[in-house]
Amino acid sequence: STSSVLPAEKDEPTASTDSTAKVASKSQGSTAETPKQKLLDIIGGMKVEVSYRKKLQQLKAHEIKKRATNKLEDQDSEGSMLRKAKEDIQRGKPLNPELVEAASAVASSLPLNKKQTESELLAQLRRHEETTDKQKKGGIINIRNVISEMSIKRQSRAERGVRISSRISLEMDEDGQRIRPGRFAPQSFDSRSLKVGKRLNIFTKVSTETENALKTVSSPTIWDLEFAKEIAAITAQPPRNGFEEMIQWTKEGILWEFPVDNEAGMEDDAEFHEHIFLEKHLKDFPKQGPIRHFMELVICGLSKNPYLSVKQKVEHIEWFQKYFDEKKEFLQEI
Amino acid sequence: MAASVLGWALRAARQVLPSACTRQVRSYYVDWRMLRDVKRRKLAYEYADERLRINAIRKNTILPKELQEVADKEIAALPRDSCPVRIRNRCVLTSRPRGVKRRWRLSRIVFRHFADHAQMSGIQRAMW
């Protein structure tokens, strides 16, 4: 039940911050805002043990309930606030019905499950009462003791000592290896899991783009190329049998790929009309005369040629064009 | 630094040891005539398109004769080894210029040698 309460409690501070803001806005105490905010900031920036943090959460919840009912005077520091909260705890019993009302009010103000939060707040109150009773019986009011005792998942000093000592076991086996204590680590992390809690935003995500850019900038040096060549030469073992030899030949291009592909190496993606209708390439030629006649014959022949690609045909026509352009002066003399 | 040293060591080792992939590598032609034939084939391949186009101008009746004479001079100015007529289909193994069967590119003597040793696929002694 405690573990189920734990995530709810984590939600509580975030929710309670909202509620504190709302309560502050509701109540007219503007002086109460700044110390509250200060407290919240401090709590947010603090790295504390879970038990201490829970204690603070509980104290905050107390504060909220108190402020819902009565107004506050000036409070400067967190210590004074804690002291005030401690006083509240001491006065827990007579405030009980009022606290219950305050708890219901707070729960109603929160955006989450109202009944659930209310029940959780009341459970917290009950725990507070128990601890205060213990304190009264003890007599000495020491915050440290209060905090240590108020942790939900308590490790008594004896148990803790046992655990630590069991981790570092000095007993030796027959082989001379230490007796391993067993898996204690996951148990100890139950109360404080890594991914729970407010983000501290200390580390920024390293952008992988810059890394990739840096890697591509440095081109391989000659030594790297040589080294790569050496490795390739050494790893290229002679073929063990005829099959491997044929594979090698196929890779090199000496041997065709079977079944034989008649159009291997021929990649003419042009349509038939590009092969046949080549008159569009004759735009720069004169319309009349023997040259035109000649070029039309050329085009006729090229359109009937299935062995050339469109690119080669166009190259032919362009060569003729260039040739006749060079010979233009000569032709005009004739 | 370490890479260069390693490379040098490997190169030295490679010179001492034989090359990894053992395959028949023809680094020498059978004789100089074969070499010249190879050069002619290469040049003929390079100038094939140009020769075709200039011949197309020369061998037609439509264009004026002056133009065709100019084309004659041009084709004569091309390197002599670029004409395909100078290529001789020699035997691939012996460089024999005569008695070469085109399908196998071998001279008759080599062909007979291989056929008798059953190294020619699908070849059998004729008997009818």
Side-chain angles (χ1 to χ4, degrees):
Chain A
S1 62
T2 51
S3 58
S4 65
V5 173
L6 277 169
E9 282 188 0
K10 263 76 177 184
D11 290 348
E12 273 190 27
T14 54
S16 64
T17 51
D18 299 335
S19 68
T20 49
K22 285 182 196 170
V23 167
S25 63
K26 281 178 199 170
S27 61
Q28 292 162 20
S30 57
T31 52
E33 269 197 47
T34 44
K36 218 189 296 176
Q37 275 177 10
K38 261 200 238 169
L39 172 65
L40 292 173
D41 294 335
I42 289 158
I43 288 164
M46 257 197 315
K47 268 192 272 180
V48 291
E49 288 179 37
V50 177
S51 57
Y52 183 61
R53 210 214 294 173
K54 260 186 230 109
K55 164 66 179 168
L56 281 173
Q57 285 167 20
Q58 287 153 15
L59 291 172
K60 259 200 302 175
H62 253 289
E63 279 263 72
I64 292 155
K65 288 162 207 165
K66 238 193 81 184
R67 280 168 193 179
T69 52
N70 22 336
K71 292 179 190 174
L72 270 177
E73 286 99 15
D74 284 0
Q75 291 185 0
D76 290 322
S77 65
E78 181 199 354
S80 63
M81 216 185 290
L82 281 176
R83 254 176 275 125
K84 201 91 221 232
K86 187 187 43 166
E87 284 163 0
D88 291 341
I89 290 157
Q90 283 179 348
R91 284 182 270 135
K93 273 181 186 168
L95 280 174
N96 222 343
E98 291 176 3
L99 281 173
V100 169
E101 282 175 20
S104 61
V106 165
S108 62
S109 72
L110 289 175
L112 302 169
N113 285 346
K114 291 169 188 178
K115 285 189 180 176
Q116 200 184 350
T117 48
E118 202 186 321
S119 61
E120 280 158 12
L121 287 169
L122 292 170
Q124 267 198 348
L125 281 172
R126 270 181 236 120
R127 263 180 262 120
H128 275 295
E129 285 182 24
E130 285 170 17
T131 51
T132 49
D133 289 342
K134 278 185 197 170
Q135 276 183 13
K136 278 184 182 173
K137 284 168 194 171
I140 302 162
I141 297 159
N142 198 358
I143 274 188
R144 302 248 173 229
N145 288 345
V146 166
I147 288 162
S148 66
E149 283 188 9
M150 286 187 68
S151 67
I152 286 170
K153 268 212 171 166
R154 268 194 271 162
Q155 288 181 22
S156 65
R157 302 244 170 226
E159 283 175 23
R160 216 181 290 151
V162 164
R163 278 197 191 179
I164 288 163
S165 67
S166 66
R167 265 186 220 154
I168 309 162
S169 64
L170 295 168
E171 293 178 24
M172 298 297 227
D173 248 348
E174 292 145 7
D175 301 349
Q177 293 170 3
R178 286 193 189 168
I179 295 164
R180 305 193 108 240
R183 297 286 162 195
F184 280 110
Q187 284 179 23
S188 65
F189 285 135
D190 274 345
S191 61
R192 41 175 105 185
S193 57
L194 290 169
K195 291 176 188 174
V196 172
K198 196 177 172 184
R199 273 191 91 114
L200 295 167
N201 289 327
I202 293 168
F203 303 109
T204 56
K205 251 193 179 177
V206 179
S207 60
T208 53
E209 290 174 3
T210 51
E211 284 178 12
N212 291 339
L214 283 168
K215 276 171 193 169
T216 52
V217 160
S218 65
S219 63
T221 62
I222 294 166
W223 304 116
D224 296 335
L225 291 168
E226 274 294 319
F227 191 54
K229 277 186 211 169
E230 296 294 344
I231 289 166
I234 286 158
T235 52
Q237 295 298 321
R240 294 175 294 181
N241 51 36
F243 290 117
E244 290 194 5
E245 198 184 27
M246 284 203 276
I247 290 164
Q248 209 174 344
W249 284 346
T250 312
K251 280 182 196 167
E252 286 172 27
I254 296 164
L255 207 58
W256 285 347
E257 283 177 18
F258 296 99
V260 175
D261 179 24
N262 277 327
E263 285 159 20
M266 233 171 69
E267 289 173 25
D268 206 11
D269 304 326
E271 300 287 316
F272 73 98
H273 56 85
E274 288 173 44
H275 278 92
I276 290 165
F277 302 114
L278 298 162
E279 279 146 356
K280 60 188 173 187
H281 303 291
L282 284 189
K283 278 176 198 168
D284 297 329
F285 282 95
K287 307 284 178 187
Q288 300 292 330
I291 293 174
R292 183 79 186 189
H293 189 31
F294 172 73
M295 287 313 296
E296 277 171 12
L297 285 173
V298 165
I299 277 163
C300 179
L302 284 174
S303 66
K304 289 181 190 175
N305 190 336
Y307 302 108
L308 295 178
S309 65
V310 175
K311 201 178 155 198
Q312 287 169 318
K313 293 180 188 177
V314 169
E315 275 173 15
H316 275 298
I317 295 168
E318 280 173 5
W319 184 90
F320 276 118
Q321 196 179 328
K322 204 175 66 176
Y323 184 82
F324 288 128
D325 282 336
E326 284 169 11
K327 302 282 183 270
K328 232 181 197 175
E329 317 83 39
F330 180 76
L331 287 169
Q332 275 150 15
E333 287 170 24
I334 305 162
Chain B
M1 176 63 190
S4 65
V5 166
L6 181 65
W8 177 86
L10 285 167
R11 223 171 291 129
R14 208 212 285 176
Q15 279 165 7
V16 169
L17 299 164
S19 61
C21 32
T22 51
R23 199 184 61 186
Q24 240 188 355
V25 178
R26 291 203 178 287
S27 48
Y28 299 101
Y29 288 109
V30 177
D31 54 9
W32 288 95
R33 281 171 287 181
M34 191 190 248
L35 210 171
R36 278 184 266 148
D37 197 57
V38 166
K39 281 190 216 167
R40 279 180 205 128
R41 281 170 195 266
K42 279 182 190 163
L43 270 183
Y45 182 81
E46 278 176 36
Y47 287 93
D49 286 336
E50 238 179 273
R51 286 192 95 94
L52 174 73
R53 290 155 191 166
I54 296 170
N55 272 326
I57 292 168
R58 280 170 69 222
K59 310 277 181 184
N60 66 31
T61 51
I62 305 156
L63 294 171
K65 281 181 193 170
E66 293 83 1
L67 193 62
Q68 284 170 5
E69 280 161 24
V70 167
D72 284 339
K73 285 173 203 166
E74 269 187 27
I75 203 166
L78 290 175
R80 207 165 260 198
D81 276 348
S82 65
C83 59
V85 184
R86 289 168 72 94
I87 293 167
R88 182 81 198 183
N89 291 327
R90 287 177 166 274
C91 169
V92 166
L93 294 177
T94 54
S95 179
R96 198 161 191 277
R98 292 189 176 94
V100 179
K101 291 307 281 181
R102 211 176 196 167
R103 185 175 168 181
W104 297 278
R105 300 179 188 175
L106 291 174
S107 84
R108 55 179 178 82
I109 305 155
V110 177
F111 176 83
R112 254 175 69 91
H113 178 267
F114 284 136
D116 287 340
H117 287 81
Q119 283 158 9
M120 295 295 275
S121 169
I123 301 297
Q124 198 189 21
R125 273 197 164 255
M127 200 189 320
W128 73 97

